[in-house]
Amino acid sequence: MASEAHRVGFVAVAGRPNVGKSTLVNRIIGSQLAIVTPKPQTTRNCITAIYTTPNLQMVLQDTPGLLKAKGALNTSLMATAVKALENSDVVLLMVTPAETIHQQHLHAVDIIKSRGVPTVLAINKMDTVAPERLLPVMEAYSKIHRFEHIIPISALDGTGVEELVAALTDLLPQGPPLFAEDDLSDLPVRFFVSEIIREQIILMTGEEIPYKTAVVVETFREDPLRVLIQADIHVEKDSQKKILIGKGGSMIKKLGTVAREKIETFLARPVRLELFVKVTPNWSKSKPHLKEFGY
Ligand code: GDP
Ligand code: MG
């Protein structure tokens, strides 16, 4: 029998785009759930990943970042992030080692203060600076808020992550498990499939395409031999559709092949993937479309 009390609760992972939130969530869970790419603003939805051990059930919400509201898409992102903060037991604020605190992190701290949620600060990417440069960063942050802990980590190589998880665990309330032991996430598989497709779009296309792209899985059918997946890729302009399809369909074909292979690994089953590129003008500025596409 476990001697320690069982702890259960929600951790909102907050921080600017690109600080390494998805990388950390993936490292803790040990499986590629959140998508990780070198471009900022990849994660739009709150990805809920569940870390379960005999004494712990920690629900991690990878927030899309507390961005300054600019246009309907960002306003909706922002609302999602604030909601995640409000519904959490602990906030994990992630930053990178810079002594000048970014405006958006000051703003995040304001929200954290106003909600009174206990917060742990992780200074990520410590592998990118000399150790003596960490202390001034820790001091700068300790001046703006009474964090429960300030812990330097590297989500990439795993340094400090165990200590961080222990600190977060201590701040969670006691209680029985909320989810079955083998649940990795309570989000539908469809969502992960659409994220895998979006990841390939981000990696394979140029600057202006990714942020005007929404992927919606319309069909997910488990046939005896394989899973049939039909997904719509919504872009805003004809010119974007042309880029996505490529010369003689070369781009969409390449994209579809790599995405299918990744989905097959994720589902551990053969997949037939059909992609349809659709022009939906101004979807990123339209509330009904944002809702329809799951943002
Ligand atoms: P997010 O936008 O906050 O979710 O950031 P991501 O997890 O997508 O990471 C953004 C980029 O930073 C990716 O290229 C990661 O490989 C990289 N990264 C994340 N954590 C670390 C780290 O600890 N050290 C280094 N050097 N790079 C990292
Ligand atoms: Mg992310």
Side-chain angles (χ1 to χ4, degrees), residues 11-85:
V11 177
V13 186
R16 297 187 66 216
N18 234 23
V19 293
K21 300 180 294 296
S22 301
T23 308
L24 178 72
V25 170
N26 290 339
R27 174 159 287 277
I28 293 174
I29 304 295
S31 153
Q32 172 110 6
L33 272 183
I35 61 170
V36 182
T37 70
K39 292 186 184 177
Q41 248 178 282
T42 316
T43 315
R44 287 200 193 130
N45 299 61
C46 285
I47 291 180
T48 309
I50 305 165
Y51 179 53
T52 301
T53 72
N55 292 328
L56 170 69
Q57 199 155 68
M58 184 185 283
V59 185
L60 293 152
Q61 291 172 293
D62 178 15
T63 76
L66 295 165
L67 303 179
K68 270 215 183 94
K70 217 196 269 163
L73 177 59
N74 277 346
T75 312
S76 137
L77 287 176
M78 179 86 170
T80 313
V82 173
K83 213 165 119 203
L85 284 194

Side-chain angles (χ1 to χ4, degrees), residues 171-226:
L171 292 165
L172 294 180
Q174 295 183 6
L178 291 171
F179 302 93
E181 214 173 288
D182 53 2
D183 273 356
L184 263 184
S185 167
D186 62 350
L187 278 177
V189 171
R190 281 172 189 245
F191 170 71
F192 291 110
V193 168
S194 69
E195 285 289 87
I196 290 169
I197 297 166
R198 219 157 58 78
E199 178 180 40
Q200 289 315 312
I201 296 170
I202 291 169
L203 291 172
M204 289 188 190
T205 65
E207 286 291 292
E208 81 275 31
I209 301 292
Y211 307 125
K212 299 293 185 190
T213 303
V215 177
V216 181
V217 173
E218 297 287 347
T219 307
F220 187 96
R221 199 176 71 211
E222 304 210 33
D223 293 335
L225 286 180
R226 59 190 166 189

Side-chain angles (χ1 to χ4, degrees), residues 34-289:
I35 61 170
V36 182
T37 70
K39 292 186 184 177
Q41 248 178 282
T42 316
T43 315
R44 287 200 193 130
N45 299 61
C46 285
I47 291 180
T48 309
I50 305 165
Y51 179 53
T52 301
T53 72
N55 292 328
L56 170 69
Q57 199 155 68
M58 184 185 283
V59 185
L60 293 152
Q61 291 172 293
D62 178 15
T63 76
L66 295 165
L67 303 179
K68 270 215 183 94
K70 217 196 269 163
L73 177 59
N74 277 346
T75 312
S76 137
L77 287 176
M78 179 86 170
T80 313
V82 173
K83 213 165 119 203
L85 284 194
E86 284 178 347
N87 295 333
S88 58
D89 298 293
V90 182
V91 173
L92 168 61
L93 179 60
M94 270 181 92
V95 301
T96 46
E99 280 171 59
T100 323
I101 301 173
H102 194 281
Q103 181 59 37
Q104 288 180 334
H105 285 148
L106 289 173
H107 181 67
V109 167
D110 280 346
I111 296 171
I112 286 161
K113 277 190 208 288
S114 72
R115 307 288 157 193
V117 191
T119 300
V120 173
L121 181 79
I123 302 174
N124 191 34
K125 307 197 186 184
M126 65 177 288
D127 58 288
T128 62
V129 295
E132 64 269 19
R133 279 192 45 205
L134 281 170
L135 206 58
V137 179
M138 293 167 84
E139 271 173 17
Y141 275 93
S142 62
K143 278 183 192 143
I144 63 163
H145 186 64
R146 283 182 58 168
F147 294 101
E148 306 291 327
H149 301 273
I150 297 182
I151 304 172
I153 65 163
S154 169
L156 200 60
D157 69 22
T159 312
V161 173
E162 214 174 300
E163 189 192 345
L164 176 64
V165 170
L168 292 170
T169 303
D170 284 344
L171 292 165
L172 294 180
Q174 295 183 6
L178 291 171
F179 302 93
E181 214 173 288
D182 53 2
D183 273 356
L184 263 184
S185 167
D186 62 350
L187 278 177
V189 171
R190 281 172 189 245
F191 170 71
F192 291 110
V193 168
S194 69
E195 285 289 87
I196 290 169
I197 297 166
R198 219 157 58 78
E199 178 180 40
Q200 289 315 312
I201 296 170
I202 291 169
L203 291 172
M204 289 188 190
T205 65
E207 286 291 292
E208 81 275 31
I209 301 292
Y211 307 125
K212 299 293 185 190
T213 303
V215 177
V216 181
V217 173
E218 297 287 347
T219 307
F220 187 96
R221 199 176 71 211
E222 304 210 33
D223 293 335
L225 286 180
R226 59 190 166 189
V227 185
L228 171 68
I229 297 171
Q230 292 175 317
D232 288 347
I233 302 174
H234 297 267
V235 293
E236 297 202 312
K237 289 181 197 154
D238 254 330
S239 58
Q240 295 164 339
K241 178 174 173 172
K242 258 176 118 174
I243 295 173
L244 260 183
I245 289 178
K247 255 211 183 106
S250 56
M251 175 65 91
I252 193 76
K253 201 169 160 209
K254 194 171 87 180
L255 211 153
T257 303
V258 180
R260 177 182 49 77
E261 283 165 2
K262 290 215 148 194
I263 296 165
E264 286 179 334
T265 307
F266 176 68
L267 298 174
R269 291 210 48 199
V271 165
R272 177 182 169 86
L273 178 65
E274 295 175 4
L275 299 175
F276 306 90
V277 183
K278 297 187 174 172
V279 180
T280 308
N282 293 321
W283 71 262
S284 70
K285 293 185 199 84
S286 141
K287 279 222 167 104
H289 276 124

